[in-house]
């Protein structure tokens, strides 16, 4: 019956069929990006991430203009004094200065290739720096993996070639977490060959999701000195301290920590800081832009279905009247029209997706905003072609069905509730 | 004329006859036109001459690179310009009308202003600039004047502020009745104050500045001219360093924007600059005792913001402009194409209903071409109606979107502490935009109505007349 109706109205349905088909093809990439980024942001989680409720992020700035030529020591001395002042507050457990906010300015984090010295296959890892001697790991709350030096010892790591890596990276590169002293080759594949560096692993810490859209938790921490005269300050409060009360006190300018020209100009919880900055992250922007594009296309499909089915149902009022007078129930009418629309959507969508498949097979499946092109060894659904393609196809089909159902609802409900006598008298 | 009125009456009667069809058609058209017009308006905001950036079509944006023989790897290093570069080189060129030198990066620092009592402390973005800044950017002075050349050269602590800041500081300045758009030409007029003598100055980074002018607030969508406070960059004591302590005389910390004289192009500028550049290289090499190179790139406003197929140094031409506009045009066409398919379906359904009418008219001698033209024209009335609604929707969309952080990031840095993305009528209602909207409507109308109308009119008369039997 549905197939018969579908075929009988093929002329009237042709335009909406073409529109759904084109929309399915043209919107696939946008939907793919949104699905992957949503998975990356909200679903992919690092196991055993650090405690965030008692972690605060502040910005240190000079509030008075500096004059004359100043030595580095004279610039940084008041910053260290400010840090000590914050450290001495009773609620504070530890403080760490960082040149750029760790896990805050997501879009600014850089990545590069990494491999073992004996391997040729590369992974992509994120690069983070910490200031040696600044109690970075204990302040952030990153727990060392078994067999790794303590957080206090890792915070003291120095030297250009020494690094700390995450547990996932150790597993992916060496197949074990016990990798102290093992060697890595950092960079070179995507940038210049001369940027290649040979590194020694000094410690392994728990996975951390440093970038909003990070799917694989491969990170490398490089020790560094303090060079930024507007650094960030990570503050870990004691477990029994109230972060809200601490921030309320900070809001009173007279109580705000200050040392010479330097002041802790902003202070917020790690979660708030991350939330405020994530909106500006590349992944969020990509999702928003593609979301707008997709929204416009779907709105068009909805209007198209609404118009097309409304005019069609008006023409079929007499048929509906006959069906109703022969005992068809209202839900039968709705089911008949919905099945017709669903079949049309299904066929158009599948053909549209089959067209996009040609592009998808030529590397046009979205893998993420950051360079994920070394995926050969990954086993999650995003990295696998068919699971990835079919997942997005399924979501697209459901979305289209939803939009088309919304489009047919008003005309169908009107047809359902028309009295059989009235419907039969319709011209 | 009477024919046109007859047509219009007929079209309006058709619109009213089938209100359901008309409503759905207008809604579909409005969404299509709104999507395309959002793109067009966005490009208009980026490219059109909108006060105070009224001279965008004559503005060049300079960037500069230098290298010295001692810098082993032969890399060119990015640098901005010094006052000497402005005075000894650019200002002496014939094709140049004004050279605006200013420091833009300070937008991102935490500077605050307050009134002289230290009250009403506010975060601001400010632009330290020279006097030509007010020649290049056509500010509307509500009161007062720009700072003078003498005040600039002496590094006097004077400032021009926006109306928004004046109001926030409670200065209550009386608007100047002089016409809009004459910022740099008008005669200086005294400031009048709502709060007495205390209102004529403010504290910027704890230093008192005398307010010499108040300008109409500039939307941060006009990224080059927008700020809250404009001061001479030669003011000392607030941590400005317009000059660099290097032995490369033209290297400094100033951004330079050039206003070309009318009739001159980017190519003319580059041609005239070449001997100056060579002379400078020779002088710099002899001064530093090693071979010194200097390169200057000049981008017109268009290629600074639209550069899909443009790389720096490429010669700018109209063909290249058209090429760079193609992706935008394609996106707009895509936004029109899908709704056109949808609208075609509606027109097709309607033409089915009008087959008998068309049959009768053909029997009485109407030609297919006339009927086709009539159907398309009738449809155009609906499309234009939808177009007008769509234009309104696009304005509404941008008005709402400007409050979102994602949209704001396109115009201001995430670090900016103070900004206002206000909308100006010149961003939405220009002859160009009107023409684009009309073209979009015409294209959409043709795409939507032509095929179904043609298909319907091709059917034999007898078949059409038999439709209602």
């Amino acid at each position: 019956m549905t197939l018969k109706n579908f075929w009988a109205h093929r002329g009237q349905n042709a335009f909406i069929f073409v529109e759904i088909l084109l929309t399915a093809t043209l919107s696939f990439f946008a939907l793919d990006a949104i699905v992957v980024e949503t998975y990356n942001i909200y679903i992919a989680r690092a196991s055993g991430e650090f405690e965030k409720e008692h972690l605060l992020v502040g910005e240190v700035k000079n509030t008075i203009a500096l004059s004359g030529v100043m030595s580095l020591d004279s610039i940084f001395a008041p910053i260290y004094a400010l840090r000590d002042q914050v450290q001495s507050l009773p609620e504070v457990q530890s403080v760490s200065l960082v040149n750029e906010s760790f896990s805050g300015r997501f879009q600014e984090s850089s990545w590069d290739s990494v491999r073992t010295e004996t391997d040729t296959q590369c992974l992509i890892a994120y690069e983070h720096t910490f200031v040696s001697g600044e109690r970075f790991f204990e302040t952030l709350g990153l727990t060392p993996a078994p067999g790794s030096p303590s957080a206090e010892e890792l915070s003291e790591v120095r030297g250009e070639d020494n690094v700390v890596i995450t547990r996932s990276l150790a597993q992916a590169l060496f197949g074990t977490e016990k990798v102290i002293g093992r060697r890595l080759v950092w960079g070179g594949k995507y940038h210049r060959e001369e940027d290649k560096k040979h590194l020694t692993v000094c410690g392994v810490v728990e996975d951390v999701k440093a970038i909003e859209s990070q799917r694989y938790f491969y990170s490398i921490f490089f020790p560094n000195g303090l060079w930024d005269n507007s650094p960030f300050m990570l503050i870990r409060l004691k477990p029994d301290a109230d972060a809200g009360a601490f921030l309320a006190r900070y809001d009173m300018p007279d109580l705000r920590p200050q040392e010479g020209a330097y002041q802790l100009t902003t202070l917020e919880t790690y979660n708030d800081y991350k939330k405020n900055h994530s909106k500006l992250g590349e992944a969020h922007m990509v999702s928003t832009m593609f979301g707008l594009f997709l929204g416009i296309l779907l709105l068009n499909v909805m209007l198209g279905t609404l118009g097309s089915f409304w005019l069609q149902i008006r023409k079929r009022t007499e048929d509906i009247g006959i069906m109703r007078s022969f005992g068809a129930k209202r839900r039968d009418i709705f089911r008949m029209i919905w099945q017709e629309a669903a079949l049309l959507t299904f066929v158009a969508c599948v053909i549209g997706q089959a067209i996009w498949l040609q592009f998808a097979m030529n590397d046009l499946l979205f893998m993420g905003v950051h360079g994920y092109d070394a995926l050969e060894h990954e086993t999650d659904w995003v990295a696998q072609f068919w699971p990835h393609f079919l997942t997005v196809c399924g979501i697209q089909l459901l979305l289209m069905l939803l939009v088309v159902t919304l489009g047919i609802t008003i005309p169908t409900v009107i047809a359902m509730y028309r009295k059989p006598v009235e419907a039969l008298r319709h011209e | 004329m009477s024919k046109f009125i007859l047509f219009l009456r007929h079209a309006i009667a058709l619109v009213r006859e089938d209100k359901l069809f008309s409503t759905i058609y207008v809604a579909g058209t409005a969404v299509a036109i709104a999507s395309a017009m959002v793109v067009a308006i966005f490009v208009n905001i980026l490219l059109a001459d909108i006060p105070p950036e009224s001279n965008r079509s004559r503005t060049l944006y300079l960037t500069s690179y230098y290298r010295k023989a001692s810098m082993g790897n032969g890399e060119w290093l990015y640098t901005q310009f010094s006052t000497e570069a402005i005075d000894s080189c650019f200002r002496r060129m014939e094709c140049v009308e004004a050279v605006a030198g200013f420091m833009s990066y300070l937008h991102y620092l935490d500077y605050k202003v307050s009134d002289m009592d230290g009250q009403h402390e506010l975060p601001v973005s400010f632009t330290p600039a020279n006097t030509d800044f007010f020649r290049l950017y056509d500010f509307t002075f509500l009161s007062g004047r720009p700072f003078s050349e003498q005040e600039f050269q002496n590094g006097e602590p004077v400032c021009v502020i926006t109306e928004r800041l004046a109001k926030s500081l409670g200065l209550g300045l009386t608007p100047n009745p002089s016409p809009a758009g004459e910022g740099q030409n008008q005669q200086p007029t005294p400031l009048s104050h709502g709060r007495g003598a205390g209102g004529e100055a403010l504290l910027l980074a704890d230093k008192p500045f005398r307010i010499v002018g108040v300008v109409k607030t500039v939307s941060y969508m006009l990224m080059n001219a927008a700020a809250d406070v404009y001061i001479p960059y030669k003011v000392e004591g607030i941590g400005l360093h317009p000059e660099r302590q290097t032995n490369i005389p033209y290297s400094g910390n100033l951004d330079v924007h050039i206003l070309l004289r009318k009739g001159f192009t980017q190519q003319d500028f580059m041609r005239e600059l070449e001997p100056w550049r060579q002379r400078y290289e020779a002088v710099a090499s002899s001064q530093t005792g090693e071979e010194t190179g200097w390169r200057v790139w000049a981008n017109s406003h268009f290629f600074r913001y639209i550069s899909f197929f443009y790389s720096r140094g490429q010669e700018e031409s109209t063909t290249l402009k058209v090429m760079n506009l193609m992706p935008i045009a394609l996106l707009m066409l895509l936004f029109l194409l899908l709704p056109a398919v949808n609208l075609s379906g509606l027109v097709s359904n309607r033409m089915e209903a009008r087959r008998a009418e068309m049959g009768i008219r053909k029997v009485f001698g109407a030609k297919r071409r006339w009927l086709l033209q009539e159907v398309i024209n009738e449809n155009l009335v609906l499309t234009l109606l939808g177009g007008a609604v769509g234009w309104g929707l696009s304005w509404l969309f941008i008005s709402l979107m400007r409050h979102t952080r994602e949209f704001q990031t396109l115009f201001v840095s995430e670090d900016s502490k103070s900004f206002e993305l206000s909308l100006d009528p010149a961003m939405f209602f220009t002859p160009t935009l009107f023409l684009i909207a009309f073209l979009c409507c015409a294209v959409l109308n043709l795409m939507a109505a032509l095929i179904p109308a043609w298909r319907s009119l091709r059917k034999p008369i007898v078949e059409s007349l038999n439709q209602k039997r």
Side-chain angles (χ1 to χ4, degrees):
Chain A
M1 172 78 168
T2 307
L3 279 171
K4 209 172 151 190
N5 274 336
F6 179 68
W7 188 250
H9 299 111
R10 64 187 181 280
Q12 290 152 5
N13 286 334
F15 289 98
I16 189 68
F17 181 86
V18 172
E19 193 183 353
I20 294 173
L21 189 151
L22 282 176
T23 305
T25 310
L26 295 171
S27 68
F28 195 98
F29 191 76
L31 181 67
D32 188 12
I34 294 168
V35 169
V36 171
E37 286 309 336
T38 306
Y39 172 79
N40 290 349
I41 296 169
Y42 300 106
I43 300 172
R45 299 236 170 252
S47 57
E49 262 214 323
F50 54 89
E51 198 267 335
K52 299 176 181 105
E53 298 303 316
H54 291 84
L55 185 62
L56 309 177
V57 182
E59 288 176 86
V60 177
K61 292 252 165 98
N62 59 325
T63 52
I64 306 165
L66 302 173
S67 56
V69 179
M70 296 180 76
S71 68
L72 283 180
D73 284 347
S74 60
I75 289 173
F76 289 120
I79 298 177
Y80 287 123
L82 183 65
R83 177 204 58 194
D84 294 341
Q85 200 187 113
V86 175
Q87 176 69 73
S88 66
L89 294 171
E91 299 96 330
V92 174
Q93 184 170 300
S94 66
V95 180
S96 173
L97 291 169
V98 279
N99 285 315
E100 67 266 9
S101 170
F102 173 79
S103 199
R105 306 196 152 199
F106 305 94
Q107 68 273 39
E108 287 177 13
S109 290
S110 55
W111 51 266
D112 212 326
S113 62
V114 63
R115 61 179 173 83
T116 62
E117 282 188 330
T118 53
D119 208 348
T120 51
Q121 195 182 2
C122 291
L123 292 173
I124 299 297
Y126 287 97
E127 175 187 1
H128 308 292
T129 58
F130 64 95
V131 179
S132 301
E134 275 298 313
R135 307 181 70 186
F136 174 78
F137 290 101
E138 60 261 50
T139 304
L140 199 62
L142 280 181
T143 323
S148 185
S150 68
E152 289 77 9
E153 286 168 307
L154 291 179
S155 295
E156 295 295 330
V157 167
R158 286 163 208 274
E160 274 185 18
D161 303 340
N162 295 328
V163 291
V164 176
I165 65 174
T166 51
R167 183 200 284 257
S168 281
L169 184 60
Q171 285 281 6
L173 287 174
F174 302 102
T176 170
E177 291 163 22
K178 295 187 173 128
V179 294
I180 308 298
R182 304 280 278 270
R183 300 277 287 166
L184 299 175
V185 181
W186 170 248
K189 183 173 177 186
Y190 301 103
H191 299 117
R192 294 180 307 184
E193 181 66 15
E194 56 266 33
D195 289 340
K196 200 187 283 178
K197 281 183 194 166
H198 290 260
L199 308 169
T200 306
V201 179
C202 293
V204 179
V205 289
E206 288 293 342
D207 286 343
V208 58
K209 186 165 181 162
I211 311 294
E212 181 198 29
S213 60
Q214 197 170 352
R215 192 164 62 241
Y216 311 120
F217 308 105
Y218 304 150
S219 291
I220 302 188
F221 298 89
F222 290 83
N224 209 332
L226 187 66
W227 50 260
D228 191 347
N229 72 343
S230 299
F232 287 84
M233 193 184 276
L234 296 175
I235 303 169
R236 176 155 295 280
L237 300 178
K238 287 175 182 163
D240 56 346
D242 182 351
F246 188 84
L247 287 174
R249 199 176 63 185
Y250 158 82
D251 272 341
M252 287 184 274
D254 292 344
L255 296 176
R256 211 173 282 177
Q258 181 153 13
E259 185 67 36
Y262 291 92
Q263 194 179 55
L264 198 58
T265 54
T266 63
L267 188 64
E268 50 199 324
T269 61
Y270 175 87
N271 285 331
D272 284 347
Y273 187 81
K274 194 172 161 181
K275 199 166 97 188
N276 293 337
H277 283 75
S278 67
K279 276 192 173 176
L280 308 172
E282 217 174 328
H284 198 86
M285 291 296 274
V286 164
S287 304
T288 307
M289 292 301 162
F290 279 135
L292 275 176
F293 177 73
L294 186 68
I296 290 168
L297 297 191
L298 292 181
L299 184 62
N300 274 314
V301 170
M302 200 175 89
L303 282 173
T305 323
L306 175 73
S308 188
F309 273 79
W310 204 324
L311 292 174
Q312 264 188 53
I313 285 167
R314 201 161 61 171
K315 275 189 199 164
R316 290 161 67 181
T317 307
E318 214 177 330
D319 303 349
I320 291 168
I322 293 168
M323 285 170 72
R324 292 278 283 131
S325 54
F326 276 91
K329 289 181 182 153
R330 282 181 181 138
R331 65 165 182 270
D332 295 331
I333 306 289
F334 184 87
R335 195 165 52 213
M336 178 188 79
I337 297 169
W338 185 82
Q339 280 174 348
E340 208 179 304
L343 182 66
L344 178 120
T345 308
F346 180 78
V347 176
C349 222
V350 167
I351 297 175
Q353 287 163 351
I355 295 171
W356 186 259
L357 179 64
Q358 317 304 312
F359 297 98
M361 289 172 101
N362 284 295
D363 282 343
L364 269 177
L365 273 189
F366 186 85
M367 290 295 161
V369 288
H370 295 278
Y372 288 124
D373 61 347
L375 296 165
E376 298 85 2
H377 64 285
E378 302 296 353
T379 53
D380 63 329
W381 70 271
V382 182
Q384 307 298 313
F385 182 85
W386 286 109
H388 183 157
F389 183 75
L390 292 174
T391 303
V392 181
C393 282
I395 292 171
Q396 188 180 48
L397 190 60
L398 287 177
L399 203 61
M400 285 287 192
L401 274 176
L402 179 73
V403 167
V404 168
T405 306
L406 282 175
I408 64 161
T409 301
I410 298 173
T412 313
V413 166
I414 289 172
M416 279 159 55
Y417 283 91
R418 183 163 275 193
K419 286 177 186 160
V421 182
E422 230 176 73
L424 283 169
R425 287 171 64 188
H426 190 86
E427 192 195 0
Chain B
M1 189 66 186
S2 60
K3 216 173 166 184
F4 177 72
I5 292 170
L6 198 70
F7 154 74
L8 213 60
R9 284 175 66 180
H10 183 63
I12 290 168
L14 275 171
V15 170
R16 295 176 64 179
E17 185 202 351
D18 195 342
K19 291 195 182 85
L20 169 66
F21 171 84
S22 305
T23 311
I24 297 173
Y25 196 93
V26 168
T29 312
V31 171
I33 298 292
S35 323
M37 286 310 289
V38 164
V39 179
I41 289 170
F42 196 76
V43 174
N44 184 62
I45 292 171
L46 279 182
L47 299 183
D49 287 346
I50 301 170
E53 296 190 8
S54 318
N55 296 312
R56 283 172 165 182
S57 45
R58 288 197 289 140
T59 305
L60 293 182
Y61 302 85
L62 305 191
T63 45
S64 151
Y65 288 81
Y66 76 95
R67 107 177 139 187
K68 290 199 286 185
S70 56
M71 301 186 319
N73 54 9
E75 262 185 80
W76 288 88
L77 295 182
Y78 170 76
T79 180
Q80 290 155 300
F81 298 93
S82 64
T83 308
E84 195 181 334
I86 294 174
D87 293 338
S88 313
C89 178
F90 303 128
R91 274 214 174 118
R92 295 188 182 186
M93 292 170 68
E94 268 181 34
C95 64
V96 171
E97 187 175 317
V99 186
F102 63 101
M103 301 170 78
S104 61
Y105 69 92
L106 296 167
H107 276 267
Y108 316 132
L109 299 184
D110 280 342
Y111 277 88
K112 289 190 171 70
V113 297
S114 64
D115 57 21
M116 292 302 285
D117 307 327
Q119 303 295 312
H120 298 99
E121 195 178 63
L122 296 164
V124 288
S125 64
F126 74 104
T127 299
N130 63 6
T131 49
D132 272 6
F133 189 80
F134 294 95
R135 293 180 67 194
L136 173 62
Y137 297 116
D138 188 15
F139 291 96
T140 302
F141 274 80
L142 302 173
S143 185
R145 56 172 176 81
F147 44 79
S148 65
E149 187 62 31
Q150 192 186 354
E151 285 164 336
F152 168 72
Q153 292 298 347
N154 295 340
E156 288 182 36
V158 290
C159 66
V160 172
I161 63 171
T162 59
E163 187 187 8
R164 181 174 77 111
L165 181 62
K167 280 183 182 161
S168 305
L169 290 172
L171 295 179
L173 297 154
T174 312
N176 186 338
S178 61
E182 294 181 5
Q184 70 275 27
N185 301 324
Q186 70 190 44
Q187 290 298 310
T189 52
L191 287 170
S192 56
H193 308 287
R195 293 202 317 147
E200 66 189 355
L202 51 77
L203 289 176
L204 172 64
D206 296 330
K207 187 181 172 80
F209 277 76
R210 185 162 50 89
I211 304 168
V212 294
V214 178
V215 292
K216 195 175 156 193
T217 306
V218 182
S219 171
Y220 272 75
M221 288 188 190
L222 308 168
M223 291 170 268
N224 297 302
D228 298 311
V229 186
Y230 305 88
I231 60 168
Y233 71 67
K234 290 201 173 177
V235 170
E236 289 181 351
I238 57 164
L240 302 180
H241 302 287
E243 315 299 341
R244 240 176 233 190
Q245 305 301 317
T246 65
N247 58 355
I248 310 281
Y250 283 4
S251 169
N253 290 323
L254 296 172
D255 288 323
V256 169
H257 295 179
I258 299 279
L259 177 63
L260 290 176
R261 285 188 203 282
K262 281 182 183 151
F264 287 94
T265 62
Q266 182 252 8
Q267 289 95 321
D268 297 329
F269 174 82
M270 291 308 288
R271 223 170 289 134
E272 198 186 333
L273 182 68
E274 186 53 22
W276 288 91
R277 193 189 64 77
Q278 286 174 4
R279 212 173 307 151
Y280 171 76
E281 280 188 341
V283 172
S285 299
S286 69
Q287 273 181 3
T288 56
E290 60 178 318
E291 199 186 320
T292 305
W294 187 48
R295 294 278 180 275
V296 176
W297 307 104
N299 284 125
S300 64
H301 188 86
F302 181 93
F303 287 103
R304 189 180 199 207
Y305 292 100
I306 311 279
S307 51
F308 296 106
F309 309 110
Y310 174 78
S311 50
R312 198 169 45 194
Q314 209 171 342
E315 192 164 310
E316 297 181 0
S317 66
T318 311
T319 320
L320 201 59
K321 265 189 186 180
V322 173
M323 262 180 73
N324 278 279
L325 283 174
M326 286 303 276
I328 296 166
L330 279 175
L331 182 65
M332 287 173 70
L333 203 64
L334 178 69
F335 281 140
L336 294 179
L337 175 72
L338 287 174
V341 177
N342 159 18
L343 298 176
S344 286
L346 295 182
V347 176
S348 170
N349 270 310
R350 192 186 211 196
M351 288 309 291
E352 280 290 305
R354 289 178 70 188
R355 260 168 66 189
E357 177 202 331
M358 293 297 155
I360 292 169
R361 292 176 70 176
K362 276 201 264 183
V363 167
F364 280 92
K367 285 187 178 169
R368 200 186 293 163
R369 188 162 51 86
W370 297 349
L371 292 174
L372 184 68
Q373 197 176 344
E374 194 185 294
V375 170
I376 289 173
N377 287 344
E378 281 164 10
N379 222 51
L380 186 63
V381 173
L382 275 178
T383 311
L384 289 178
L385 206 62
V389 177
W391 199 343
L393 278 180
S394 60
W395 174 81
L396 192 69
F397 178 79
I398 292 182
S399 303
L400 295 174
M401 280 297 287
R402 76 194 157 110
H403 299 297
T404 64
R405 202 70 182 98
E406 290 87 345
F407 186 79
Q408 289 164 358
T409 317
L410 300 173
F411 296 95
V412 292
S413 153
E414 61 165 303
D415 295 324
S416 294
K417 299 290 188 290
S418 154
F419 56 84
E420 183 172 285
L421 292 183
S422 53
L423 300 173
D424 192 293
M427 294 171 179
F428 295 94
F429 307 106
T430 66
T432 317
L433 278 180
F434 183 79
L435 188 70
I436 291 171
F438 184 78
L439 271 177
C440 287
C441 286
V443 169
L444 183 66
N445 185 52
L446 264 185
M447 289 197 293
L450 192 62
I451 296 172
W454 177 251
R455 272 179 60 196
S456 170
L457 291 171
R458 275 178 62 205
K459 288 188 174 144
I461 296 174
V462 179
E463 198 185 303
S464 299
L465 287 173
N466 268 339
Q467 187 203 13
K468 291 282 171 187
R469 270 180 64 179

